[in-house]
Amino acid sequence: MTNAEAYDRGFAHLSSHTVAPLLALTCAGRAPRLLDVGCGTGVVTSAALALGAEVTAVDADPGMLELTARRHPYATIRRATLPVLPFEDEQFDAVTGNFVINHVAGTAEALKELHRVLRPTGILALTWWKADEMTATNVFADAIAASRIPYEPPDRPFTGNDTPPRFTALLAQAGFQAAAVDTVRWRHQVDLASWWTDVVQAGGPRFDVIARQPPETVECIRGHYDRLAAPYAREGFPVCAYLAHATR
Ligand SMILES: C[S@@+](CC[C@H](N)C(=O)[O-])C[C@H]1O[C@@H](n2cnc3c(N)ncnc32)[C@H](O)[C@@H]1O
């Protein structure tokens, strides 16, 4: 199984929760030209196509793009890494980015670039996790810490820009109007054993360290995960995301 397939089996179910609010903001008009940045395996792209949008989907990861291209032949697929986009000025009516801005080095530059490719009055809608309420993944970080392996968590490029007031200010600085940030909370209900397997296989910058460990260390981390995740078996993991939206 590729990382993209593992992402699709696990994380994509978590991230799909914010697709409806993102598209309510961006696909209200008829057949908008929509740019889906950091499309991953296409949860937003898929739903936007179903609403009749003309979708261009971009991602930095070729594996994600390959899967999205195979599944969604009616979307235009391009490889691109924010903060740089290979598009003309004012080419899109709307831009969505579901849980990508938190991976981008250079938030201010990325917002300026998204502003550039939107037409006047076009809509931008972006989500990211509220890190301290992201129990579904924090249990993995806590399990790694409890196992006491020598491990330096990767820098999180978005830290410092991830609060609603700061992000709203960055949107305004990039030239956007009517910027606002909503909070979305839900429970991620998932089989705990499957969630372990899917997150470890998908890896990514925070959790690929687990699969690199010797088997006895993986077992140790797994033991801590089982203990930390157990209280959420019935009700699901509490998770919280921010949804920012603004007009060009
Ligand atoms: C958490 S996934 C979200 C994927 C998808 N939007 C979803 O909701 O499932 C983040 C995605 O952003 C992509 N990504 C990370 N950094 C990026 C960048 N600087 N520019 C474009 N894509 C990026 C990753 O490859 C990954 O597919």
Side-chain angles (χ1 to χ4, degrees):
M1 179 181 297
T2 65
N3 289 1
E5 284 164 346
Y7 176 91
D8 194 56
R9 223 178 50 180
F11 273 109
H13 293 280
L14 177 61
S15 63
S16 64
H17 201 90
T18 45
V19 169
L22 277 170
L23 294 184
L25 288 159
T26 53
C27 282
R30 276 179 60 81
R33 296 164 301 167
L34 178 85
L35 174 64
D36 181 25
V37 287
C39 63
T41 57
V43 293
V44 177
T45 291
S46 165
L49 285 167
L51 290 174
E54 193 185 301
V55 182
T56 300
V58 303
D59 200 283
D61 182 323
M64 295 285 197
L65 288 176
E66 196 270 322
L67 200 153
T68 301
R70 201 165 2 111
R71 266 195 202 153
H72 302 297
Y74 298 111
T76 301
I77 309 288
R78 295 280 298 269
R79 188 165 179 200
T81 303
L82 276 171
V84 179
L85 292 171
F87 302 114
E88 305 285 314
D89 293 355
E90 303 183 8
Q91 206 179 311
F92 298 100
D93 301 313
V95 174
T96 52
N98 201 28
F99 303 111
V100 61
I101 194 69
N102 44 306
H103 292 285
V104 175
T107 313
E109 293 80 0
L111 293 180
K112 283 188 192 128
E113 185 71 341
L114 295 171
H115 184 271
R116 181 185 70 75
V117 301
L118 268 172
R119 67 154 166 80
T121 76
I123 308 283
L124 172 71
L126 301 171
T127 56
W128 68 93
W129 300 113
K130 184 170 187 293
D132 60 342
E133 289 189 45
M134 190 45 197
T135 321
T137 50
N138 288 347
V139 286
F140 287 86
D142 293 345
I144 293 168
S147 74
R148 298 179 186 280
I149 57 169
Y151 171 62
E152 198 60 41
D155 280 346
R156 298 174 117 178
F158 194 48
T159 304
N161 292 331
D162 58 353
T163 64
R166 172 75 181 143
F167 199 79
T168 307
L170 286 170
L171 283 166
Q173 277 167 28
F176 286 98
Q177 315 280 323
V181 178
D182 303 333
T183 304
V184 189
R185 286 191 172 85
W186 70 99
R187 290 262 174 175
H188 181 52
Q189 287 191 308
V190 69
D191 173 74
L192 296 183
S194 308
W195 184 236
W196 164 267
T197 305
D198 293 338
V199 171
V200 172
Q201 283 184 352
R206 288 177 72 201
F207 304 125
D208 57 0
V209 62
I210 299 175
R212 290 201 304 270
Q213 301 305 307
E216 62 277 13
T217 308
V218 174
E219 265 315 293
C220 171
I221 300 171
R222 172 69 192 257
H224 288 297
Y225 165 82
D226 286 344
R227 175 177 55 80
L228 293 165
Y232 307 107
R234 249 174 75 127
E235 309 281 329
F237 294 107
V239 292
C240 181
Y242 288 126
L243 167 57
H245 44 97
T247 307
R248 186 201 197 274

